[in-house]
Amino acid sequence: LNSRYSGPPPLPFYGEECQLLQFKEAKRMSRSARKAQRQIDLENAPVPSKNYISMDKEQVERAFQVAREAYMKRSRGEIAHWQDIAKLLKEEFDTSFKGSKAWNCIVGKSFGSFVSFNTKDMAYFHIAEMGVMLWKHG
């Protein structure tokens, strides 16, 4: 170092190391703290507006819950892309509603689609500006 430099030493974490440290801190959040945050998210998240629903009530409620939680995570910056929300919804429905892994999901602000789906296995709704289309085919 230059002897004329009198400032504090440089910070030890930059880039990927800093992100790894933040990730480890986030993982340490207790189960009760995560549950409390989820409850706060559900209370503060916008209410879904239904565009087209052809699903069982249990499936619709689960889709709304997962989508609202994901929307709040994205608003806090924990989820970066719409694609991550779509993946989260698809995986949730693939594991929760057994029978087949034929669930598909599109999430975004603006999209078009032309899809085939099973009767009683389709939902299209909005949460604020986020459009969600979830359907099962096969």
Side-chain angles (χ1 to χ4, degrees), residues 97-114:
F97 302 104
K98 309 254 189 248
S100 70
K101 294 191 179 243
W103 287 97
N104 301 282
C105 188
I106 299 173
V107 176
K109 282 188 176 183
S110 177
F111 58 86
S113 66
F114 186 84

Side-chain angles (χ1 to χ4, degrees), residues 21-58:
L21 182 65
Q22 289 172 349
F23 176 75
K24 286 181 180 177
E25 287 296 320
K27 267 190 106 171
R28 288 186 194 149
M29 185 188 290
S30 70
R31 179 174 281 189
S32 60
R34 283 193 305 262
K35 188 175 181 180
Q37 183 63 52
R38 190 175 306 123
Q39 186 62 35
I40 291 168
D41 284 352
L42 288 176
E43 291 170 3
N44 296 329
V47 177
S49 63
K50 302 171 186 176
N51 295 66
Y52 177 81
I53 303 291
S54 173
M55 276 187 175
D56 296 336
K57 187 174 181 175
E58 176 189 0

Side-chain angles (χ1 to χ4, degrees), residues 67-99:
R68 290 175 77 198
E69 288 173 8
Y71 177 83
M72 292 305 289
K73 283 182 180 180
R74 188 172 192 281
S75 68
R76 286 195 309 267
E78 295 174 22
I79 294 178
H81 305 284
W82 297 119
Q83 170 184 332
D84 299 330
I85 295 174
K87 181 180 178 185
L88 198 140
L89 274 160
K90 178 191 172 15
E91 289 174 350
E92 174 66 28
F93 271 68
D94 281 346
T95 57
S96 295
F97 302 104
K98 309 254 189 248

